[in-house]
Amino acid sequence: MLGCIELLVARARLPLLVETSSWYARLVTKFQLLVRAVQMLAKSETRVVAAREVFLALLPKLQRASLELGSTKNWQYLEVEPSYHFRLEVPEDGLSRVRFKNHCGVVQVAPFFAACLKDVRVIGPWGIPVTRSGKIVVEAVGVDFFASRIFGTIRTLGAGTTLKQYLLAIFPMFERRSSALPLAAHLIPREWDDHGNPHFGHWLGEKLPQIRAFRAMENIQQRPIPLLINSSPTAWQLELLEVFGIPVSNLILAQPHGQRVKELIVGSLRNVHSRHIEIDPRARSWLAQELTNRGNGYQGPKAKGVFVFRGQHETRSIANQPELIARLEASGLTRFEPGSQDKPSEIGQLSEAEVLLGDFGSGLMNLLFMPNCRRIIEIFGPNQRDRHVFFYLAAELGIQHSSIEATGLNGDFATMPGSRLADIAAVTTALEQFSPGNGAR
């Protein structure tokens, strides 16, 4: 490994910082060299990409496959749900069929598990776990987000602080003030929005299903397990946890730089991303059932059909939204505005809805609050034709999926507000299949 780094450094014309046979000094030197090499190689896009790839390849990792091999002296492995097969049926809707026909068929779902890791340190804003042997636990942030979270941690903490925290994971005896947590379950979000808050769709689709794994481990170990979450949780995070019967007193706020945990529970992370979703119908059906079963105290009005849109000033928003809203309301659908009330009330408001219509985005994740939904109608933009996240989510919950394509405007339809135009006629045709109170065919 060191030879690879030395070669990289030689190409970057960097001097070696230390020449010693001490394995501890050589470990420190590896990271010093890697950080400096990345900085020096950042003179062209090609070199930056190459440096990133070398850096990531050299990092020691504890992968999901290693955990699934079973318990060792360093962790306890608990299989909550064994691997199984699931058939993705061809959708009835013609456009959805065109978009997703290549995704249909039998897929194998990976085992759903909990792992109790001994003596680890969680580092940075995403709480990346590092074992005593220096291995980074990939499952906590997922394979798809691993690179961005590693480099995001280095940018947030600084290279020096990140290196210090990494070394403290390996050598905890050098920590001046030992404030190790005896036990915690990792529920720190791995994705944030543009305002620095946890991303709702990722929290809902990725993190909350892990509670199933944590409860299974609690039953095996016969002891309560507190949850380790982000240092500044939002109101909706706390409200959703309360829906699960988890009080604030059972939460531990993560330290901003790093914190040692003597026993850390990590659950299977089922990736949810705008470009990809890791399918697991049983995990997300469990989540939907838990959420809706616990939201039965709502006494307000309940919509029979709802629509949800991104704000007109947000990216990927719909330019003719006022006209579209008028058409939807005339059809008997109710506008659902996430965040306008507390989460238990939102769950109650959606509990009898039979159809959900919305533009591509995390608002469609509210499908998990709708136990009676029969159809989701997704308005997607030109750059989202092959993005299957909501088709998969609908299939996981046994819900039909329909598609409506919006026209891109202003050239930059991926990022600009008001950058797409919805086809009102296509929306009208889709809504002919729905009559509030009579179901969505």
Side-chain angles (χ1 to χ4, degrees):
M1 180 183 294
L2 187 58
C4 295
I5 300 171
E6 291 170 346
L7 177 61
L8 178 62
V9 172
R11 290 185 176 180
R13 298 181 181 178
L14 286 174
L16 287 177
L17 302 182
V18 178
E19 289 187 9
T20 175
S21 59
S22 166
W23 71 271
Y24 169 72
R26 288 168 68 87
L27 178 65
V28 175
T29 303
K30 288 179 187 180
F31 280 88
Q32 290 176 327
L33 293 175
L34 282 171
V35 170
R36 291 188 61 182
V38 170
Q39 293 172 343
M40 293 297 292
L41 286 173
K43 294 181 179 179
S44 71
E45 183 178 350
T46 302
R47 288 180 176 178
V48 169
V49 172
R52 283 170 57 97
E53 293 300 319
V54 171
F55 179 81
L56 293 171
L58 292 174
L59 287 179
K61 307 174 191 68
L62 180 58
Q63 303 276 13
R64 174 188 291 182
S66 297
L67 293 173
E68 290 176 345
L69 292 176
S71 299
T72 70
K73 65 178 182 179
N74 296 319
W75 66 78
Q76 177 187 2
Y77 176 81
L78 175 63
E79 187 175 77
V80 179
E81 183 82 54
S83 176
Y84 64 97
H85 291 90
F86 176 74
R87 177 177 290 277
L88 277 164
E89 301 291 350
V90 177
E92 296 177 357
D93 177 75
L95 184 52
S96 292
R97 189 182 307 120
V98 171
R99 292 176 69 192
F100 307 123
K101 62 182 179 181
N102 293 333
H103 292 273
C104 298
V106 177
V107 295
Q108 183 170 359
V109 181
F112 190 83
F113 66 85
C116 180
L117 303 166
K118 298 178 182 178
D119 204 358
V120 301
R121 189 172 191 84
V122 292
I123 299 175
W126 297 281
I128 300 175
V130 180
T131 68
R132 281 293 300 274
S133 61
K135 292 185 176 181
I136 299 171
V137 183
V138 177
E139 192 68 18
V141 293
V143 174
D144 292 345
F145 278 61
F146 182 76
S148 62
R149 295 303 163 257
I150 292 295
F151 289 108
T153 298
I154 294 173
R155 284 193 300 269
T156 303
L157 301 185
T161 300
T162 303
L163 173 59
K164 175 184 175 181
Q165 291 296 322
Y166 182 85
L167 293 175
L168 285 175
I170 303 172
F171 308 107
M173 68 287 295
F174 292 124
E175 189 171 15
R176 292 181 180 178
R177 293 183 179 180
S178 180
S179 56
L181 297 173
L183 175 69
H186 190 288
L187 203 67
I188 301 173
R190 68 163 185 165
E191 178 70 349
W192 309 84
D193 63 21
D194 294 337
H195 307 290
N197 297 316
H199 191 283
F200 172 74
H202 288 272
W203 170 264
L204 186 62
E206 296 173 346
K207 301 304 294 186
L208 291 187
Q210 293 179 327
I211 294 175
R212 182 188 183 201
F214 302 154
R215 287 180 174 170
M217 187 63 78
E218 280 184 331
N219 292 334
I220 291 294
Q221 296 188 353
Q222 292 295 298
R223 56 176 176 170
I225 300 176
L227 303 182
L228 182 65
I229 67 169
N230 44 301
S231 58
S232 300
T234 62
W236 56 260
Q237 279 183 284
L238 300 179
E239 290 166 0
L240 283 173
L241 291 175
E242 288 178 359
V243 169
F244 276 90
I246 300 172
V248 175
S249 59
N250 199 42
L251 305 179
I252 299 174
L253 304 184
Q255 298 297 314
H257 289 171
Q259 188 168 19
R260 183 185 176 196
V261 185
K262 293 182 178 179
E263 292 182 273
L264 180 71
I265 316 299
V266 174
S268 292
L269 190 143
R270 297 305 195 222
N271 174 64
V272 174
H273 189 269
S274 61
R275 298 180 184 274
H276 172 68
I277 180 173
E278 185 177 3
I279 196 164
D280 192 339
R282 295 178 186 175
R284 293 202 178 89
S285 294
W286 173 88
L287 171 64
Q289 185 174 5
E290 287 288 309
L291 289 169
T292 54
N293 284 348
R294 296 171 183 270
N296 293 330
Y298 176 75
Q299 300 298 321
K302 298 181 179 182
K304 293 297 182 181
V306 297
F307 61 91
V308 58
F309 291 134
R310 301 174 69 85
Q312 286 193 283
H313 300 292
E314 293 187 61
T315 60
R316 309 195 309 266
S317 58
I318 296 175
N320 58 338
Q321 193 174 116
E323 180 184 358
L324 181 57
I325 289 174
R327 176 66 186 87
L328 295 172
E329 290 178 339
S331 299
L333 270 66
T334 301
R335 184 169 190 176
F336 174 67
E337 299 184 76
S340 61
Q341 51 190 334
D342 61 53
K343 289 303 173 186
S345 297
E346 289 184 358
I347 293 172
Q349 180 187 0
L350 297 175
S351 62
E352 295 182 3
E354 298 171 354
V355 67
L356 171 63
L357 183 147
D359 47 358
F360 181 93
S362 62
L364 294 179
M365 292 297 294
N366 288 285
L367 189 65
L368 288 161
F369 298 157
M370 302 170 62
N372 293 308
C373 188
R374 301 184 185 182
R375 184 174 297 274
I376 178 175
I377 304 173
E378 174 195 344
I379 301 175
F380 68 97
N383 63 322
Q384 296 155 350
R385 190 176 183 87
D386 61 343
R387 299 192 183 184
H388 57 266
V389 53
F390 298 111
F391 168 63
Y392 273 33
L393 180 63
E396 288 178 323
L397 302 176
I399 297 170
Q400 284 293 326
H401 183 281
S402 297
S403 299
I404 297 175
E405 185 167 13
T407 304
L409 301 174
N410 304 325
D412 190 6
F413 48 75
T415 59
M416 292 182 63
S419 58
R420 56 193 58 187
L421 192 69
D423 186 338
I424 303 295
V427 171
T428 301
T429 300
L431 290 177
E432 288 176 353
Q433 303 180 69
F434 173 78
S435 176
N438 294 328
R441 297 189 296 274

